[in-house]
């Protein structure tokens, strides 16, 4: 995921104040939201082009900004957030398939904060033959699928640490044959999660192990989307599943060529009056992959041969030109994130297990020239140096000076000195896989140069197959074997507002490390795990933010990662696009809300 550009204090009060004043930085002229204040026009094909396919199409395991935007078109959750070009308006939890947002005042949340009752709105249907209603049981099935052994959710830790009985359910599910769809379906049907119950077709009751002030946020995430019974036929996220997705949203996938293209058409049973978050204007959405050159993508957008970029921000070389031209099609959108960051494989055997030593990792903290990275991504209008795990604008953020260097340019001499003191006077040789799309190659090359100056030889390994996260960083076996040593992933919070756990828990809770985990480096510190628990059980968001800040400090003391940039998202659309509204968690415009000029 990703985000950036605002500055806030650790408390949620400070965060709210910071968010209120957020606006997009654009070229001048009218904003896409106001530029299309005319009545929406229906019809036409929205043409999206980009580089790589999603690693996971199944909502149970989807966890990338691209998949978020795609999932939103055909898979609905109980709650969600609205797209808007005013960042503060994208934060509040809104009802989606739920009839209303539960509260203690309306009786939806118990007085002790541990029971949530959610009623479903009427009229939401699956595009099956014949169509049938989306039921509470479909949401229970969706939650159970998070723990499937074939493609487990990287976000399951959110729920195993919150819902009664889910941890035990997941432990049992992990033992099921990951290649046997029938066995997985049988396990789901024979085993219940005590904290998730369907009362009839239209009511869900959630039982929490302890109060969680962010529980409704967890139910906005695509992991918790309803799943139809037909999904029991397929291995989760397998090739057959990907050819048989079912929709309860405004669009449906009508054709999918892996690694090549998606075609989405209108879902005939979707109703606007049953969906408060989405609309439907374009007739068809065509997503074409294999465009690895950001410059080529940008040229097609400006020439009108395509409408939106899938996974490519505006190339750095074009940002200043577009700003000076005050081009209405261009904006820099607030998306507070830690993107990218350098992560260390603490389980790697390289250098005799060197990266498992805190002193070695601390030495490498001094290697990085962040000023060079800022130039690569577009300059100070787009990014600022980051030295904390939690980026500005997120719960628990506080500025820090640990590992500071003059002008943020790095200190290779200090790095060499500390490496020698840690027992590696001759340096190290490390494997460094990188993504080939967007600016990732340039970032990897810059970091390699920094490490070389520190006496560390980084062997760059390009990943052009879209397996960077799913098949490389999230595979503990590859980590243990030393298939990689360092990498530069990115992370955007899964939600905003009361969101401390959306950064610290998925990236650094050592208890959740395993297949599919986003704790890529296998970091595990009992003190951090304890602070996570304290934050999750805190009586209010401001106290939770204090614990998240303490966890951030400890993680940085351990040098589990090297934070690099607090980065915003430069985005461009074609002249045909109207009504473009931004989704920060997808780093893109909401495909369901925009329309095309004819």
């Amino acid at each position: 995921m990703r985000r950036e550009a605002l500055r806030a204090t650790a408390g949620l009060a400070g965060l709210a104040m910071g968010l209120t004043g957020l606006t997009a930085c654009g070229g001048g002229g009218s904003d896409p939201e106001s530029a299309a204040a005319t009545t929406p026009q229906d019809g036409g094909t929205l043409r999206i082009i980009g580089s790589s396919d999603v690693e996971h199409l199944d909502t149970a395991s989807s966890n990338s900004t691209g998949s978020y935007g795609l999932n939103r078109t055909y898979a609905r959750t109980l709650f969600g957030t609205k797209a808007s070009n005013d960042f503060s308006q994208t934060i509040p939890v809104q009802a989606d398939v739920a009839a209303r947002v539960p509260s203690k005042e309306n009786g939806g949340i118990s007085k002790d904060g541990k029971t949530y009752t959610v009623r479903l709105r009427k009229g939401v249907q699956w595009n099956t033959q014949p169509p049938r209603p989306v039921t509470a049981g479909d949401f229970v099935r969706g939650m159970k699928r998070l723990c499937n052994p074939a493609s487990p959710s990287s976000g399951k830790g959110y729920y195993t640490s919150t819902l009664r009985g889910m941890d035990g359910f997941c432990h049992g599910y992990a033992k099921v044959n990951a290649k046997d769809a029938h066995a997985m379906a049988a396990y789901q049907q024979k085993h219940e999660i005590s904290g998730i119950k369907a009362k009839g077709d239209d009511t869900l009751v959630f039982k929490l192990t302890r109060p969680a002030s962010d529980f409704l946020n967890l139910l906005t995430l695509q992991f918790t989307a309803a799943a139809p019974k037909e999904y029991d036929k397929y291995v989760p996220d397998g090739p057959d599943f990907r050819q048989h997705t079912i929709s309860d949203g405004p669009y449906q996938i009508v054709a999918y060529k892996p690694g090549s293209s998606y075609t989405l058409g209108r879902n005939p049973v979707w109703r606007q009056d049953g969906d408060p978050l989405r609309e439907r204007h374009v007739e068809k959405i065509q997503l074409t992959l294999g465009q690895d050159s950001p410059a080529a993508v940008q040229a097609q957008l400006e020439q009108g041969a395509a409408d939106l970029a899938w996974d490519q921000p505006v190339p750095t070389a074009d940002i200043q030109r577009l700003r000076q031209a005050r081009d209405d099609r261009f904006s820099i959108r607030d998306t507070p994130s830690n993107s990218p960051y350098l992560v260390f494989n603490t389980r790697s055997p390289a250098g005799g297990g060197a990266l498992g030593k805190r002193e070695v990792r601390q030495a490498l903290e001094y290697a990085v020239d962040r000023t060079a990275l800022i130039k690569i991504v577009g300059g100070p209008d787009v990014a600022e140096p980051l030295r904390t795990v939690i980026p500005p604008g997120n719960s628990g953020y506080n500025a820090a000076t640990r590992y500071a260097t003059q002008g943020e340019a790095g200190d290779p001499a200090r790095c060499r000195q500390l490496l020698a003191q840690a027992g590696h006077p001759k340096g190290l040789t490390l494997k460094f896989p990188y993504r080939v799309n967007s600016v990732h190659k340039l970032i990897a090359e810059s970091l390699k140069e920094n490490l070389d100056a520190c006496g560390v030889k980084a062997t760059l390994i390009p990943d052009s197959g879209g397996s960077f996260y799913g098949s490389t960083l999230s595979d503990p076996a590859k980590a243990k074997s030393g298939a990689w040593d360092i990498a530069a992933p990115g992370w955007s919070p899964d939600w905003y507002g009361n969101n401390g756990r959306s950064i610290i828990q998925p990236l650094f809770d050592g208890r959740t490390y395993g297949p599919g985990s986003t704790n890529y480096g296998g970091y595990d510190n009992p003190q951090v795990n304890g602070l996570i628990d304290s934050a999750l059980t805190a009586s209010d968001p401001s106290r939770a933010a204090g614990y998240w800040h303490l966890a951030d400090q400890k993680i940085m003391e351990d040098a589990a990662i090297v934070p690099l940039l607090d980065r915003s998202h430069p985005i461009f659309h074609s002249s045909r696009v109207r009504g473009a509204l931004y989704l920060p968690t997808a780093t893109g415009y909401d495909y369901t809300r925009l329309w095309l000029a004819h």
Side-chain angles (χ1 to χ4, degrees):
M1 278 144 275
R2 11 157 333 66
R3 250 91 318 212
E4 283 91 89
L6 55 159
R7 299 288 166 269
T9 63
L12 261 286
L15 173 61
M17 290 173 64
L19 295 176
T20 303
L22 270 180
T23 56
C25 303
S30 54
D31 180 276
E33 189 168 5
S34 59
T38 56
T39 302
Q41 301 180 51
D42 290 349
T45 298
L46 177 67
R47 303 158 302 172
I48 307 169
I49 57 172
S51 175
S52 303
D53 203 343
V54 296
E55 293 182 345
H56 300 290
L57 182 60
D58 192 335
T59 55
S61 47
S62 292
N63 198 18
S64 66
T65 53
S67 64
Y68 276 25
L70 183 60
N71 292 158
R72 186 177 176 93
T73 66
Y74 68 89
R76 295 178 62 182
T77 48
L78 291 168
F79 306 99
T81 55
K82 285 188 175 181
S84 176
N85 295 332
D86 178 344
F87 187 87
S88 65
Q89 293 182 12
T90 69
I91 296 173
V93 172
Q94 312 273 352
D96 188 351
V97 179
R100 65 180 183 181
V101 177
S103 66
K104 289 184 178 180
E105 291 71 23
N106 65 27
I109 303 175
S110 63
K111 290 183 179 180
D112 65 2
K114 295 195 291 186
T115 301
Y116 286 66
T117 302
V118 180
R119 290 180 174 80
L120 275 57
R121 70 175 66 245
K122 298 183 184 300
V124 181
Q125 292 187 302
W126 295 115
N127 65 336
T128 50
Q129 294 296 330
R132 66 172 189 275
V134 174
T135 67
D138 294 329
F139 280 98
V140 174
R141 181 182 297 104
M143 295 288 286
K144 287 181 175 181
R145 295 180 76 253
L146 296 182
C147 306
N148 78 80
S151 184
S153 173
S154 61
K156 67 181 180 181
Y158 291 147
Y159 309 96
T160 57
S161 62
T162 305
L163 287 163
R164 290 185 190 176
M166 189 150 187
D167 190 46
F169 176 88
C170 291
H171 277 298
Y173 205 168
K175 301 173 185 177
V176 178
N177 185 346
K179 297 181 179 180
D180 189 336
H182 177 75
M184 284 183 274
Y187 180 87
Q188 290 182 181
Q189 292 161 8
K190 293 177 181 177
H191 297 79
E192 299 300 324
I193 300 171
S194 61
I196 311 173
K197 297 291 184 183
K199 293 179 63 177
D201 287 342
D202 63 357
T203 303
L204 283 157
V205 178
F206 296 95
K207 298 282 188 179
L208 281 56
T209 56
R210 55 201 172 204
S213 60
D214 60 1
F215 182 62
L216 291 178
N217 296 101
L218 299 185
L219 297 182
T220 68
L221 305 184
Q222 81 289 347
F223 308 128
T224 64
K229 61 185 179 182
E230 286 82 359
Y231 284 2
D232 289 348
K233 301 176 185 177
Y234 311 112
V235 172
D237 205 40
D240 289 338
F241 170 90
R242 289 189 172 211
Q243 295 296 335
H244 294 90
T245 53
I246 292 175
S247 174
D248 60 353
Y251 293 93
Q252 58 189 7
I253 298 175
V254 297
Y256 168 51
K257 297 179 181 179
S260 178
S261 66
Y262 291 86
T263 303
L264 286 82
R266 293 187 170 191
N267 174 4
V269 302
W270 176 83
R271 290 168 38 188
Q272 178 65 78
D273 60 6
D275 193 335
L277 299 181
R278 301 165 190 78
E279 297 175 7
R280 185 176 65 192
H281 301 298
V282 301
E283 185 73 24
K284 186 166 69 172
I285 301 172
Q286 183 65 50
L287 170 57
T288 304
L289 305 172
Q291 301 275 350
D292 287 338
S293 167
V297 169
Q298 182 65 24
Q300 291 185 62
L301 297 180
E302 293 193 38
Q303 293 163 8
D307 299 307
L308 293 175
W310 164 247
D311 55 359
Q312 310 271 32
V314 174
T316 301
D318 295 313
I319 291 175
Q320 191 61 30
R321 169 178 62 84
L322 294 169
R323 286 189 68 106
Q324 290 178 344
R326 303 178 68 82
D327 195 313
D328 293 335
R329 300 169 295 177
F330 170 71
S331 296
I332 298 176
R333 295 291 173 196
D334 293 307
T335 50
S337 69
N338 192 338
S339 182
Y341 63 92
L342 190 68
V343 62
F344 301 113
N345 176 8
T346 65
R347 314 287 174 115
S348 173
L355 295 179
K357 302 175 184 177
R358 181 171 66 172
E359 294 76 16
V360 169
R361 301 192 302 269
Q362 288 175 331
L364 298 180
E365 292 279 350
Y366 291 95
V368 176
D369 179 357
R370 291 176 175 83
T371 62
L373 298 179
I374 289 172
K375 292 177 182 178
I376 288 172
V377 301
D381 288 334
V382 174
E384 293 185 0
L386 182 65
R387 278 187 277 105
T388 55
V389 170
I390 300 173
N394 292 275
S395 176
Y397 170 75
N398 266 304
T401 57
R402 190 186 296 272
Y403 312 120
T405 62
Q406 184 68 35
E408 296 291 353
D411 188 342
R414 176 74 167 150
C415 177
R416 284 178 178 271
Q417 175 190 10
L418 292 177
L419 268 183
Q421 292 175 5
H424 297 276
K426 296 183 180 180
L428 296 165
T429 298
L430 304 175
K431 297 175 183 176
F432 187 171
Y434 68 92
R435 293 166 284 175
V436 298
N437 64 318
S438 187
V439 294
H440 298 304
K441 180 180 179 181
L442 295 176
I443 289 171
E445 290 173 342
S446 181
L447 293 172
K448 171 183 167 59
E449 183 178 335
N450 295 161
L451 292 166
D452 284 344
C454 186
V456 175
K457 180 181 179 182
T459 303
L460 295 181
I461 305 170
D463 169 27
S464 58
S467 60
F468 178 74
Y469 287 108
S471 299
T472 302
L473 300 194
S474 293
D475 186 341
K478 288 189 176 179
K480 186 176 180 180
S481 70
W484 68 279
D485 301 306
I486 56 174
W491 186 260
S492 295
D494 285 315
W495 70 92
Y496 291 98
N498 182 17
N499 72 341
R501 93 151 92 187
S502 73
I503 301 170
I504 298 293
Q505 187 179 32
L507 294 183
F508 303 105
D509 190 335
R511 298 163 295 187
T512 63
Y513 183 65
S517 171
T518 49
N519 178 4
Y520 304 123
Y523 173 78
D524 187 14
N525 184 320
Q527 288 181 271
V528 171
N529 297 343
L531 288 167
I532 289 171
D533 291 341
S534 295
L536 295 179
T537 57
S539 57
D540 60 69
S542 62
R543 289 182 63 85
Y547 287 117
W548 295 128
H549 171 59
L550 292 174
D552 189 323
Q553 288 183 311
K554 185 60 182 174
I555 293 163
M556 288 308 302
E557 179 185 329
D558 288 344
I561 67 169
V562 182
L564 298 173
L565 299 180
D566 171 18
R567 185 175 164 201
S568 297
H569 188 71
I571 190 170
F572 188 93
H573 63 72
S574 76
S575 299
R576 299 199 310 157
V577 172
R578 300 287 187 271
L581 300 175
Y582 194 67
L583 282 167
T585 50
T587 60
Y589 291 122
D590 186 344
Y591 307 143
T592 74
R593 299 288 302 278
L594 56 79
W595 65 93
L596 303 172
H598 301 306

